[in-house]
Amino acid sequence: NSSSDDFHGTVVLARGAGSCKECHGLNLDGGKVKVSCSTCHLDSGACTVCHGGGDNITGAPPTGLRGESSDTTRAVGAHTAHLTNSSLAGAVPCNACHKVPALTSDSGHYDSLVVGSGPVTDSIAEIVWHGISDGGTAVWDREAGTCADTYCHGGFTGGISDNSPEWTGANQAECGSCHDVGADPSSLEWKHQFHVTTVGLGCYHCHADVVSSGLSIIDSSLHVNGVADTARADNELCEACHGSGEGSCVTCHGGTDNLTGAPPTGLRGETATTERAVGAHTSHLEDGEISDGFACTICHILPTSVNAPTHLGIDSLAEMTFDALAGTNSVWDTTTATCAQTYCHGNFEGGDYSNAPVWTGTDQAMCGSCHDTGSDPNSLGWKHKFHIESAGLQCNDCHSQVVDASLSILDISLHVNGIVDTAVADTSVCNTCHGDVVGNCTSCHGGLDNQTGAPPHGLDHETSITDLAVGAHTTHVDGGELADGFNCEECHITPVSVSDTLHQNIGDDGIAEIVWGGIAGVASNWDRATATCSLTYCHGNFSGGHSDNIAVWNVDEGDLCGTCHGFGVHPAFLSEPHWLHLVPYNLDCVDCHYGVIDELENIISKSRHVDGTLDYVIRDQAVCDACHAPAPDGCLGCHGGTDNISSAPPQGLHGETATSTRAVGAHTAHIEGGSISDGVLCSECHVVPNVLEDAGHFASDSTAEIIWDTLAGANATWNIPDETCTDTYCHGDFRGGNPANVPHWTGSNQALCGSCHDDGSDPLLLRDKHDDHADEGIECYRCHAGTVDASLNIIGPSKHIDGNFDVIFSDGQGTFDGTGCSGLDKNAGCHDPEDW
């Protein structure tokens, strides 16, 4: 009973949905009244209990939650009009504007507000646009009671988007309130305007299943359904314009001058070339005096049919999509109606890049507007300038099939076609310079001093060595007292013929790029601004050379001996082996480079100097053999070894003899050995070569690298600044040893007994059961009788510091297998057997 104070809707409105649990239980499945809520509220058909729906079973009002029944109230309004099929459209589902729950208790069905002592609901059904109702920007204004920008009332392409129907009003959907029906077809976008105004069609011609010729809706299910239904009334009428093939373009685009479909008739009937829709279309599409006509695809995407994607746009503007011929840099400015940076109007090598023709103007293609025709050949690039000014040629000499002597175009298909057509008028004229022999290089490059084509004659007639184009070319190509001449490819790519690709592509600047060859070296650098070469092998960038020597290309500095490397004044600069030979052993350059230089340091073989190869020609083999004999005897010559024949210092490579110097240090102490251990092999700390020339034997820094062998151990480290060894087995890095022991290479008394391991004062250092034996008074010699005596003197140097634990029992009995003892005499105070 809706008039009762206990009516469910009244209770829920006043106290909130939680009050249902008082009678129907926590789960709303029966409770005190033994009636489940789902009995009435299970599905959408039960919506009518609260929402009325007397007009239908959707649950839509005309009965509001507070009993409203008039459509002038917001709770009722146009609900029934939307939910019922009409002559204009089919019914709209509730979820187009609201969230529809499956059950009354679903989240979002109703909202509760806590006011005072209990919850109160606002009973407002929120608008949640969905599907067909939402055009993307739909808005419900509760205060004004209006909808705006909904698809159903004009919020679509070409619709009346500012249409705002009143929810509680009447006659809101009159024909023409949402979109134009003929009075102003331009409001539907240009395609409708074109078909209605220009072609004279009515709505029913293209929407035959939806509307009649009298604008009555034929099938309301096809209207306001989210789909633009286009069913043709007369297919032949459409095919007149929309058929396939180029000829069909003329219906819309004009094309009265030709069958391309290009204007002079624009989509809005424009015919004047001053109109952007017309402009220079015909000039471009028809052959002219200068070039063939161009295809539409040069500037536009050409559709295969009128319905092809991207063909028809909302704004009716044909977008510019430049093809390869026009060029990817091309720019169309709609505001100024100009094209810029197009190949067709000057954007090519030697063209007038600034040329920007006006689409709706005249006289845009005058000869010379795109490229020079002789008055300023420099603008075409240095190659044109060279041929016109230096060789005295004309355009038709090299482009004889395109242009004649009077600059008239002979073949329009060869002009503005994306190809530089070079047809020679007289090959004999070209062969004077362009023949396929080296001698022809002299035609352009000069080569008055020789036949290499090297200047003193630059492309702009330069002859002075102070000019970059000339510079030291002749000096390098001819050679001199120090070296033979160099091939051009040491600094440049040398073409087989003038037409080689890399030769032709030198560029507009006429500059021959530097591409270093094998002798100059990949580290070489050319600085055009300072006209200098640096880091080239030829001028000092080699082992022992003056790598910082920077030769100036256009200044004659002569060939001073010593500018590239020291030749005796500073022999140490040449690297360690040179210093050793020149200073301690007093040899001269000629002793080792006998075939290149004489006793007075004159170059006697230019072909062997500055050739990328170190030429060793020995003057007296016996002098070399004194030092370079196989090891160990041959080692003495450089390394000294006066204390022994191992060749280990006390004589360093720089003549050092004091053990306080790193080159000498403790070499003899290690190699000869002493009372503590036998001598250590050189290979324990260094790589030992068989002969002097072995790889890795010596380097420019004269430092003997430390490469530890197995005895020293993998953890061993040599610290050059501190001159110390750490973590070596020889000095404590073993089980029970003193790994913190860091002997100093140039110090003394580094091997005192007890410095590497405990000698009895602290047996715990030795680990395992050394401590137990020491507590029992068992001395070291009892277990190491072959190594040490009772006084801790080493009696077996070969068994000390040998990488092994040598266990020999003093009473001559028993054995030790590395993990334990066995066979010992128990009467002597020992145990048998025992794990160590």
Side-chain angles (χ1 to χ4, degrees):
N1 181 4
S2 61
S3 63
S4 170
D5 292 339
D6 294 327
F7 175 58
H8 284 72
T10 303
V11 173
V12 172
L13 187 63
R15 300 174 56 192
S19 63
C20 299
K21 299 177 183 179
E22 296 177 10
C23 295
H24 294 280
L26 293 177
N27 296 323
L28 305 178
D29 56 358
K32 298 176 184 178
V33 297
K34 296 183 173 34
V35 177
S36 171
C37 293
S38 62
T39 302
C40 298
H41 296 281
L42 178 62
D43 54 40
S44 60
C47 301
T48 58
V49 175
C50 295
H51 293 289
D55 292 349
N56 49 63
I57 61 168
T58 63
T63 301
L65 293 180
R66 291 178 173 80
E68 304 96 323
S69 60
S70 173
D71 58 10
T72 60
T73 62
R74 187 184 300 135
V76 180
H79 274 110
T80 297
H82 282 74
L83 289 158
T84 307
N85 292 328
S86 69
S87 60
L88 287 181
V92 179
C94 298
N95 67 358
C97 304
H98 302 292
K99 180 177 181 180
V100 178
L103 297 174
T104 305
S105 57
D106 280 359
S107 173
H109 183 204
Y110 45 74
D111 299 323
S112 294
L113 301 175
V114 177
V115 179
S117 60
V120 177
T121 61
D122 61 8
S123 76
I124 295 174
E126 282 71 19
I127 302 300
V128 182
W129 302 110
H130 181 266
I132 196 171
S133 63
D134 190 11
T137 56
V139 176
W140 159 248
D141 187 333
R142 179 175 170 80
E143 295 300 322
T146 58
C147 294
D149 256 359
T150 60
Y151 163 80
C152 330
H153 291 280
F156 49 82
T157 301
I160 303 175
S161 58
D162 60 355
N163 187 20
S164 299
E166 295 181 13
W167 176 247
T168 56
N171 299 320
Q172 300 294 305
E174 292 181 357
C175 194
S177 64
C178 297
H179 59 78
D180 178 77
V181 291
D184 183 17
S186 64
S187 65
L188 295 176
E189 22 171 84
W190 74 269
K191 285 181 283 189
H192 279 91
Q193 180 189 27
F194 181 79
H195 284 79
V196 175
T197 304
T198 305
V199 184
L201 301 181
C203 301
Y204 73 97
H205 282 112
C206 298
H207 307 285
D209 289 345
V210 182
V211 67
S212 69
S213 59
L215 297 180
S216 298
I217 301 299
I218 297 173
D219 186 346
S220 61
S221 68
L222 299 179
H223 194 221
V224 198
N225 63 350
V227 179
D229 296 282
T230 53
R232 303 170 185 174
D234 184 352
N235 200 55
E236 291 184 1
L237 187 63
C238 298
E239 289 296 328
C241 301
H242 293 258
S244 60
E246 190 177 70
S248 64
C249 302
V250 299
T251 304
C252 296
H253 293 289
T256 55
D257 292 351
N258 50 65
L259 289 177
T260 63
T265 301
L267 293 179
R268 291 175 172 81
E270 306 95 321
T271 57
T273 57
T274 55
E275 298 280 354
R276 188 189 305 138
V278 181
H281 273 111
T282 297
S283 298
H284 282 74
L285 289 159
E286 290 187 343
D287 294 346
E289 296 181 4
I290 293 178
S291 68
D292 278 345
F294 298 99
C296 301
T297 54
I298 298 298
C299 303
H300 304 292
I301 292 177
L302 188 63
T304 54
S305 68
V306 74
N307 298 315
T310 74
H311 181 208
L312 306 174
I314 296 174
D315 58 7
S316 79
L317 295 178
E319 282 70 20
M320 303 299 290
T321 308
F322 291 105
D323 201 355
L325 183 64
T328 56
N329 294 322
S330 301
V331 176
W332 161 251
D333 188 326
T334 302
T335 305
T336 61
T338 56
C339 290
Q341 300 182 50
T342 59
Y343 159 80
C344 331
H345 290 279
N347 189 25
F348 47 82
E349 184 180 349
D352 183 0
Y353 296 87
S354 64
N355 191 19
V358 181
W359 175 249
T360 54
T362 57
D363 298 328
Q364 300 296 309
M366 295 175 64
C367 195
S369 64
C370 297
H371 58 78
D372 178 74
T373 55
S375 59
D376 183 18
N378 188 49
S379 66
L380 295 176
W382 73 268
K383 284 183 280 190
H384 279 90
K385 178 183 179 183
F386 182 81
H387 283 79
I388 293 172
E389 291 188 348
S390 298
L393 302 180
Q394 299 297 323
C395 301
N396 68 301
D397 285 314
C398 298
H399 308 285
S400 61
Q401 293 181 354
V402 182
V403 66
D404 63 17
S406 62
L407 299 181
S408 297
I409 302 299
L410 296 174
D411 187 344
I412 58 174
S413 69
L414 300 179
H415 193 222
V416 199
N417 64 349
I419 301 172
V420 179
D421 296 283
T422 52
V424 179
D426 186 351
T427 56
S428 64
V429 174
C430 298
N431 287 334
T432 303
C433 302
H434 293 257
D436 292 340
V437 294
V438 175
N440 285 313
C441 301
T442 60
S443 300
C444 297
H445 294 289
L448 303 179
D449 294 350
N450 49 64
Q451 288 299 309
T452 64
H457 189 288
L459 292 180
D460 287 327
H461 307 285
E462 305 96 322
T463 57
S464 173
I465 63 171
T466 58
D467 291 317
L468 286 182
V470 181
H473 273 110
T474 296
T475 303
H476 282 74
V477 173
D478 278 354
E481 295 181 1
L482 293 181
D484 282 346
F486 297 99
N487 292 325
C488 300
E489 57 262 25
E490 285 302 327
C491 304
H492 305 291
I493 292 178
T494 304
V496 176
S497 68
V498 74
S499 57
D500 277 3
T501 302
L502 292 173
H503 187 217
Q504 294 281 24
N505 292 341
I506 290 176
D508 295 337
D509 54 11
I511 296 173
E513 281 70 21
I514 303 299
V515 181
W516 302 106
I519 292 181
V522 294
S524 301
N525 181 61
W526 161 249
D527 188 329
R528 180 175 172 79
T530 59
T532 56
C533 292
S534 59
L535 297 176
T536 60
Y537 161 82
C538 333
H539 289 281
N541 189 28
F542 48 81
S543 178
H546 289 271
S547 57
D548 58 352
N549 188 22
I550 299 178
V552 182
W553 172 250
N554 54 357
V555 175
D556 186 4
E557 296 179 327
D559 298 324
L560 297 175
C561 193
T563 58
C564 297
H565 57 78
F567 59 96
V569 179
H570 298 293
F573 188 80
L574 292 175
S575 75
E576 184 59 36
H578 282 91
W579 182 92
L580 186 68
H581 286 76
L582 294 172
V583 179
Y585 294 99
N586 200 31
L587 298 180
D588 291 320
C589 301
V590 68
D591 286 310
C592 298
H593 305 287
Y594 184 65
V596 182
I597 195 171
D598 63 16
E599 289 83 350
L600 299 177
E601 294 171 347
N602 297 313
I603 302 298
I604 61 174
S605 179
K606 296 190 297 180
S607 64
R608 292 185 172 183
H609 193 222
V610 200
D611 64 344
T613 304
L614 291 176
D615 295 284
Y616 296 108
V617 181
I618 299 168
R619 180 164 65 166
D620 187 348
Q621 186 66 42
V623 174
C624 298
D625 289 342
C627 299
H628 292 257
D633 294 339
C635 303
L636 297 174
C638 297
H639 294 290
T642 55
D643 292 350
N644 50 66
I645 62 168
S646 69
S647 79
Q651 178 173 302
L653 293 179
H654 294 88
E656 307 95 321
T657 57
T659 58
S660 60
T661 60
R662 187 190 305 147
V664 181
H667 273 110
T668 296
H670 280 74
I671 290 173
E672 288 189 342
S675 59
I676 291 180
S677 69
D678 285 348
V680 180
L681 298 175
C682 301
S683 58
E684 289 298 336
C685 304
H686 304 292
V687 173
V688 179
N690 291 318
V691 293
L692 179 116
E693 293 85 0
D694 278 359
H697 181 204
F698 50 79
S700 57
D701 61 3
S702 78
T703 300
E705 282 71 19
I706 303 300
I707 301 178
W708 305 103
D709 205 354
T710 54
L711 183 63
N715 295 325
T717 303
W718 161 246
N719 188 310
I720 293 179
D722 295 340
E723 297 182 347
T724 56
C725 293
T726 58
D727 291 338
T728 60
Y729 161 81
C730 331
H731 291 280
D733 188 26
F734 50 82
R735 190 171 69 179
N738 181 16
N741 189 21
V742 182
H744 198 276
W745 175 250
T746 55
S748 58
N749 298 324
Q750 300 294 309
L752 294 173
C753 194
S755 64
C756 296
H757 58 76
D758 177 71
D759 56 355
S761 59
D762 187 8
L764 281 174
L765 288 175
L766 297 176
R767 294 167 47 190
D768 297 323
K769 295 185 179 180
H770 279 96
D771 184 36
D772 295 338
H773 285 68
D775 288 345
E776 295 295 329
I778 299 174
E779 297 174 314
C780 301
Y781 82 95
R782 295 282 300 278
C783 298
H784 302 287
T787 306
V788 66
D789 62 15
S791 300
L792 295 179
N793 296 314
I794 301 299
I795 60 175
S798 65
K799 295 184 179 298
H800 192 221
I801 317 179
D802 63 347
N804 299 313
F805 290 106
D806 296 289
V807 178
I808 299 176
F809 299 105
S810 60
D811 60 4
Q813 299 184 29
T815 59
F816 178 75
D817 63 2
T819 61
C821 305
S822 61
L824 299 177
D825 186 357
K826 294 183 179 180
N827 296 326
C830 295
H831 41 77
D832 182 38
E834 184 71 22
D835 291 337
W836 178 249

